[in-house]
Amino acid sequence: MPNLLTIIIFFPLLGGLLISLIPRRNESIIRLTAVLFNVMTLGVVGVLCTLFDRTSSAVQFLESVPWIPDIGINYIVGVDGISLGLVFLTALLGLLAALATTSITKSVKEYFILYQILMTGMLGTFLALDLVLFYIFWETVLIPMFFLIGIWGGQRREYAAWKFFFYTLAGSFVMLLAIIAIYFLVTPHTFNMLEITSLAPHLNNNFQCVLFLMFFLSFAVKIPVFPFHTWLPDAHVEAPTPVSVILAGVLLKMGAYGLLRICVPYFPYALDYFAFSLGVLGAVNLIYGACAAFVQTDFKKMIAYSSVSHMGFVLLGVAAMNSTGLNGSLLEMFNHGIITGGMFLLVGVLYDRAHTREMTAFGGLSSTMPRYAFFLTIMALASFGLPGLSGFVGEFLSIAGIYFTFPWLAALSSIGLIMVVALFLTIIRKVLWGRPQSAVHWPDMGFDEMILLCPLVLITLGVGFYPEIILQFQRQAINLLVRMS
Amino acid sequence: MVKYVYLIPIFPFLAFWLNILLGKQLGRLSAWIAIGASLLSTILTFGIFFGMVTANVHNYTCSLGSWISINGQTLSLGILVDNLTLMMLSVVTVVGTLIQIYSVGYMSTDIRFTRYFAYISLFMASMLALVLVDDLLMLYIFWEGVGLCSCLLIAFWHEKPAAAAAGVKAFITTRIGDTGLLIGILILLASGHSLRFTDLGAVQGSEVLMTVAALLIFLGAMGKSAQFPLHVWLPDAMEGPTAISALIHAATMVAAGVYLVARSYVFFIDHPLALHTIAVIGAISAVMAASIACTANDIKRILAYSTISQLGLMMLALGVGGYVAGTFHLMTHAFFKALLFLGAGSVIHAVHTQDIHQMGGLLHRMKVTGITFIIGALALAGVGPLSGFWSKDEIFIALWQSGHPVLFAVAVLTSFLTAFYMARVIFVAFLGISRRQQQIHESPLVMTIPLIILAFFAVFLGFLGAPWCINGAFQHFISPAMHEVIHMNWGMVILSSILSLTAITLAYLIFVKGFRLPSSGEQYFVCFYKLIENKYYIDEIHEKIFIKPFHQLCSLFKKFDCMYIDGVIHAVATVTAVMASYIRRWQTGRIENYLFYQICGIFILLMVISGKLCRIF
Amino acid sequence: MNSSISFIVPEIILCTGATALLIAGAIGSRRRLLNIIAVMTVAISFFSMFAVPGNIHSVFSGMLINDAFSYVLRVFVLVVAMLSVLMSIGYTWPQEEDAGEYYFFILLATVSMMFAVSAGNMIMIYLSIEALSIISYILACYFKKDVLSTEAGVKYFLFGTLSTGLMLYGISLVYGLTGTLDLEKILIQLKVLEGYAPVLGLAAILIFAGFAFKASIVPFHVWVADVYNGAPWPVAAFFSIGPKAVGFALLIKVFFGYSLFLSSIWTGIAVILAVATMFVGNLSAFHQDNVKRLLAFSSVAQAGYIFAGLAMGLSGLKAAFFYIIIYTFMNMGAFACVSYLASDLSDIKALRGISRTSPAGAFILSVFLLSLAGLPPLAGFWAKFFILCSIIDARHYFLAGILVFNSCVAFFYYLKIVRTMYFDEPLSTVVSRKTSYSTLIVLASCCLMVIEAGIFPRILLDFLGLLFH
Amino acid sequence: MIPLEHIVVLSVFLLSVGIYGVLTQRNAIRFLISIELILNAANINLIAFNKYLSTPDGLGQVFALLVVGVAAAASVVGLVLIIAIYRLKKSVFTDDFNLLKW
């Protein structure tokens, strides 16, 4: 299949178009169509994974079509070890989130149209290899997200939607400037990300630093890096469950992916120059996120802040600038997507029953909802990096990577490791342990809910036991990245 | 046979999944699945044990495949079976199996019966794997695994807030140590060393860095083995089911710290500073915990502090080079401490209280439990010729030979205190008159049989290491390089016998005869007593130094988020909005203003063009 | 002379049609007939553009110039006229007015715009601008009984006459300095006029102000909001695209093609004015609850972006041109869509929950608004993108930053409308809208253009490439 | 012959008076008159420059004539508008035309 990637990117959009043709009263058909399209997308991504040559560091399945030849904008898509895992993650969470929409009852048709656009945007961001194309997909995500939070969200949905939108918008505009600037700075002028990879490192140091900071700012908002993270708790909390899953699982990865795809290979001098600051930010993220999460009273907000904390590992891995750290960083992105995606699904399960997310309303669920307790425990354990579950591998590699470069930072971050444990154990204690708070007993998770979590748990266990499952895909690409930076 | 060694942890692991996934359907069968699995492991262990001993093989390594590669090193899941491993395997499987059998009775009425056995199977699997693996990182992985099981089992009765809190506390406190261990591993990794235990002896590198690594690894051991100042979780961990306390918090998991030090002993040997630290920490823990145990009233807590103290002794022994002594005491302690806990459990099961002052005269009502408990207590007190006597002797000898008089004195004091508080328990709880009206029955057979078996071990296991009996079989087994003949050190035997007898007598005088100190000494003693009774205020200090600042930091961060970061964001929005509403007012709706703007605009442009303003740009 | 006549055939057709409409309206023909005549006139005029001979350079002794620039702009003006006429047909006129007269003015305004863009002489420029202005005053107060509409007309008149009067004075100074009013000859003369720079500067600024008034550059923009607000919807839409494009066309022609300003100073001034225009436009729109005024201020801000591009030399010129064309479609679409959805009300409340009652309309309006805001992959994004490219290419990083900040602000108020449509609950009263084909054509064509140029901007770029090769 | 400067000064004076009138007068009619002054200032310029230029071709004078015509048209429209608003508001003072603002 020569146009595999184009199919992957635009297939969801096609689904959206199709959904827009279905009369709005046929809700079940709309849902079915959306799910079907996401299943097929996942299927195609599966095919991609099997066809992918994991021994090669090169970009594969490259497609290049001139788009605006006047200024050298091309439609270039391709996949390599860095993006493959994230594409898979997107397709998987996309399907799960499309399935987890029982709570969406208002304007189902619009919901799924926007959702499908969102999918296209996300997949495109990971696959685009032209800076302008990358930017376009990046921005495409914004508006659907704004609506998904703003229309289907919780109490303070509007505030959250605006905040999310403007934070990200400001960031991405800075990126746009950087993209145009880099176009004019490299000779020959080009937006082709692969060509810039070989051209940009020759830029003079000041330009490298400025451009690095501009790109980083944009990615920092998305990742999010302290102090640009305050949109995240609001957006995550107010968004409906499936959207939170996508937000935490995929959207945050876009920023981190950008870091790996653009900041690391393009600006080796700047990366070297800022590596320590980056590492400090990572450690701050790690500790700050865990601490801020610890005192929240809202279950979802705790998970949201824990995402901030986890993204600290990603930053640490990047700051390490060695293959261990970068491998850890990328793996942590994947793992975080899986784990936090699962966490948000679990919060959603509880919210559907309790209609509140206040921690005080829960407790003792271990006895009344044993299946729920099982899933939540596994996800929480994976979150704080219990060895044997996937979270550990990424965290360990990141910490190891940063240790090799900045030992003291690793020591600092290890404080964060303890805090994260405290955080998730507290969650377990407050939600699962203790006497049941409410006289009403909520029904345990049903089959439909468990089926969503099973793949996530299996991946968590699988990657934890045998991380090569993921690492084998990314190793070559990371090696290349290390050689470049 | 030894090549099937990897099956040892697999059996309980399968039992775990079976129990956790099919718990409801299995019902009481789950217990027997767990027990069956650990019986299989036990049989396999002993098969391998005898296979290796008869073939005179001391070492077996194999790799089960690579796991991950870091910094150019491929870390693989490897297995190392040597005599230390075999000893630990035997202890864990035997004690584990017995305690599981005991648990069938002890937990019979619990609603989460199957989950209990699931967790315990998981624990067995992790613990056995921990013992088997051949490098530090793999050890770390299972190390965390046992920590998790410990946490889950402590909080098994999570409806009790204290139990839930204790579970969390246990995990976090040990995690502090574990993080140290992790950093220690990273230091070794970063300097390009292999993490395999067999290669640890050949570690080269900057002395300071390697000493730090060794200390950090020991930090991990401190956490697990509840050594001062990370010991605070262990007494609280007594909120868990007593069988768990016996298995995890007395016999096996807490001993993993000692095991870790013993396992990487070749590494510690090269770094004397680290070794000294181990000895000092061990000594502090030993005497501190022993003194607290003298004042505690909760039978389980007494045993918990006793565990800390005994583990301290083991560390102390290891720290002064008494490798054999440390490991020997580890083994004997596992059995008699498990016995004591199970006995305590049996008592609690019967009287529904843990306060020793509410017990009394139990020996008459619960013959088997009473007698086995007393056997255990005597073993712990170091009364010859029970097992504790021999291992404690070894420690004394090691200390004496190392030539550290203070440490030796500490060990003697600890030993004295140990005998004293165990005698106290016996006199208050088991002898004397009953303080309760209710009927007290002996526990069922399923609980008492393990007690009897353990009592058997508590009595006779010591002879393995007794110099006059089979010529110090244990010593030669655990340290195959040693060839000299072990001699009886009669001085030590006499010393420790006198020590324990004096302590018991003292306890008898105080708790049975009601002997009191003269009032002149009382004042001074009360202060001291209060300090000890409050556990030297270590919990409070922890609270002040770590927990409270942490909470304050958290609140601070939360506030920082809401007020400062969001404040800046909102300020930007507000400034824009205010500017907007100001600029909007320029559109006054009056044409004369508009015309004025126009003319002004033209004038300003004129000024710009006449070169006055355009310089700026 | 023959070629001169053949050159202005499209204008003649328009004039004829306009006269016919005036008469037909006066004798009380039915509205339907008038609509058809108006559409047909513009259409015929449009097609007659193909018959305009291409081999002549100038006609009427240099009064009108026939080059690619003016040709494209004349076609463009006709497209604007067509869109305006179609929108007027679809518009539900609140008062029964004489439609013939209305179309007459619209077509005459079109004629004057066509003359303006092809003018080769200052006289022609003045005359066409003045004609366009006078017609605009009348159109602005088309609802004679309506206070707002009349006030809009008066304000427009007072502001406009001063502008054109000052522009005339500037032209007279240029005449005095160069002795000619022919643009090409002025260009030659300017080279020897170094010593008269201050006077020339005054003249240039007065002329500039005249054009800037049409293009709504700050501080000559103040009329915009009030006039759009008072004028009927189709007239406001027409004002926001037609005269504005003409203003920019003249700015380009006079200040670029014939470099009336000394180029070094030009950039500085243009940057200042562009920044001011962006800020004033966007910030004034920020709190608007009146959609008409909001769109008016947004069009001021858009003028700022275009002007920023213009300041950047040749590459910016192309970008600005691209922007003007895209802007025309998206702004027209936005006006048409709001007037259709809000049923002639201009308060933002009228759009509440429109997405429930008219999902397609809400979607299309969102497309226009988001395109105006510059969201990829809609056409408005490329317009801004090319402007930004030219700015960064010229190394005006600070200006680029300001533009980007303004885009953020702009996103706020555009999204405010969008959120009103999607987030709020619909008003209780169910309004039945009359949907006519002409409205549909306007909306569909604008929407298609916005999306098409967003996905394949290359087509339009190639077209513009022909213009600037 | 009167020097060109004198005429130019006159025209500038007229322009200034016109601008002053525009800025200060609140009466719409007076405003119209001020505008006429500006237009006439330009006209004077055009005619004078035409006269004093080395190659007089009558262009300026023709333009001036055109301007007079256009100005008349503009004034008519202006007056019509002022009358229209007077009907509605009973005022020709620009202060009163402030319904449209902000």
Side-chain angles (χ1 to χ4, degrees), chain C residues 225-307:
Chain C
D226 292 358
V227 171
Y228 288 13
N229 191 0
W233 274 100
V235 173
F238 176 70
F239 285 171
S240 76
I241 53 176
K244 180 174 267 179
V246 168
F248 275 111
L250 289 172
L251 279 173
I252 293 169
K253 184 190 277 262
V254 174
F255 292 97
F256 271 97
Y258 299 100
S259 54
L260 200 59
F261 265 119
L262 306 168
S263 54
S264 60
I265 302 174
W266 162 252
T267 309
I269 288 182
V271 168
I272 299 172
L273 290 183
V275 169
T277 310
M278 284 182 227
F279 268 114
V280 171
N282 281 322
L283 290 178
S284 305
F286 197 82
H287 288 299
Q288 282 300 341
D289 285 331
N290 182 326
V291 183
K292 233 175 178 179
R293 285 183 84 81
L294 189 150
L295 286 175
F297 282 119
S298 110
S299 80
V300 171
Q302 304 279 344
Y305 306 142
I306 298 173
F307 201 55

Side-chain angles (χ1 to χ4, degrees), chain A residues 155-299:
Chain A
Q155 288 291 310
R156 295 169 68 234
R157 53 177 178 262
E158 251 202 66
Y159 173 76
W162 282 114
K163 200 166 169 183
F164 163 79
F165 188 83
F166 277 102
Y167 248 112
T168 345
L169 186 77
S172 58
F173 270 141
V174 176
M175 173 161 74
L176 179 62
L177 291 182
I179 288 176
I180 297 173
I182 207 172
Y183 170 77
F184 285 108
L185 288 173
V186 297
T187 40
H189 297 342
T190 179
F191 284 117
N192 185 330
M193 287 163 87
L194 296 173
E195 284 173 24
I196 294 176
T197 310
S198 57
L199 294 173
H202 303 301
L203 290 177
N204 88 31
N205 294 345
N206 293 339
F207 278 130
Q208 279 201 25
C209 289
V210 172
L211 287 174
F212 178 89
L213 283 182
M214 287 170 86
F215 275 112
F216 178 71
L217 185 74
S218 166
F219 300 142
V221 170
K222 209 65 159 210
I223 287 178
V225 176
F226 172 87
F228 306 109
H229 65 280
T230 53
W231 65 268
L232 183 134
D234 285 310
H236 280 56
V237 168
E238 297 309 325
T241 305
V243 177
S244 301
V245 171
I246 292 292
L247 253 179
V250 185
L251 236 66
L252 308 191
K253 309 304 168 311
M254 284 168 55
Y257 169 77
L259 216 54
L260 285 182
R261 175 65 81 202
I262 292 175
C263 286
V264 173
Y266 289 4
F267 313 114
Y269 171 81
L271 182 66
D272 205 43
Y273 187 81
F274 289 115
F276 186 72
S277 328
L278 214 59
V280 170
L281 280 179
V284 169
N285 246 37
L286 183 58
I287 294 171
Y288 190 96
C291 281
F294 196 79
V295 277
Q296 301 300 328
T297 53
D298 183 313
F299 192 6

Side-chain angles (χ1 to χ4, degrees), chain A residues 159 163 229-230 288 305 366, chain B residues 67 115 187 557 561 566 570:
Chain A
Y159 173 76
K163 200 166 169 183
H229 65 280
T230 53
Y288 190 96
Y305 270 109
S366 184
Chain B
W67 188 65
R115 204 183 298 172
I187 292 178
F557 282 170
D561 247 27
D566 272 358
H570 293 160

Side-chain angles (χ1 to χ4, degrees), chain C residues 130 141 151 155 169 175 288, chain D residues 11 50 70 81 97 100 102:
Chain C
E130 188 71 54
C141 74
E151 186 180 319
K155 277 183 173 169
Y169 197 83
Y175 178 63
Q288 282 300 341
Chain D
S11 108
N50 190 18
V70 171
L81 290 172
F97 312 156
L100 297 164
W102 298 333

Side-chain angles (χ1 to χ4, degrees), chain B residues 358-439:
Chain B
Q358 294 185 22
M359 300 171 186
L362 291 173
L363 187 58
H364 310 296
R365 312 274 184 89
M366 307 173 75
K367 283 256 161 40
V368 182
T369 306
I371 291 168
T372 50
F373 191 92
I374 291 170
I375 291 174
L378 290 177
L380 175 57
V383 174
L386 301 180
S387 61
F389 172 78
W390 298 108
S391 53
K392 198 173 286 178
D393 238 28
E394 277 290 319
I395 292 175
F396 283 175
I397 294 167
L399 279 165
W400 186 254
Q401 282 170 351
S402 74
H404 289 287
V406 179
L407 294 179
F408 181 73
V410 166
V412 169
L413 178 59
T414 307
S415 178
F416 177 80
L417 289 171
T418 308
F420 177 77
Y421 63 69
M422 282 325 291
R424 173 173 173 249
V425 172
I426 302 284
F427 290 134
V428 174
F430 285 89
L431 304 174
I433 41 146
S434 171
R435 294 174 188 79
R436 287 223 160 186
Q437 306 303 321
Q438 83 215 61
Q439 279 302 109

Side-chain angles (χ1 to χ4, degrees), chain D residues 34-102:
Chain D
S34 308
I35 290 287
E36 288 301 320
L37 284 178
I38 294 173
L39 291 179
N40 285 329
N43 275 345
I44 288 173
N45 260 353
L46 286 172
I47 292 163
F49 288 145
N50 190 18
K51 170 83 179 151
Y52 286 86
L53 279 171
S54 48
T55 53
D57 53 0
L59 183 65
Q61 301 190 19
V62 172
F63 192 13
L65 275 177
L66 283 173
V67 170
V68 170
V70 171
S75 305
V76 168
V77 171
L79 282 171
V80 166
L81 290 172
I82 291 166
I83 289 168
I85 202 156
Y86 179 74
R87 284 208 187 118
L88 294 169
K89 292 212 146 185
K90 303 291 171 221
S91 164
V92 291
F93 288 94
T94 52
D95 316 37
D96 300 327
F97 312 156
N98 62 352
L99 283 176
L100 297 164
K101 60 189 171 194
W102 298 333

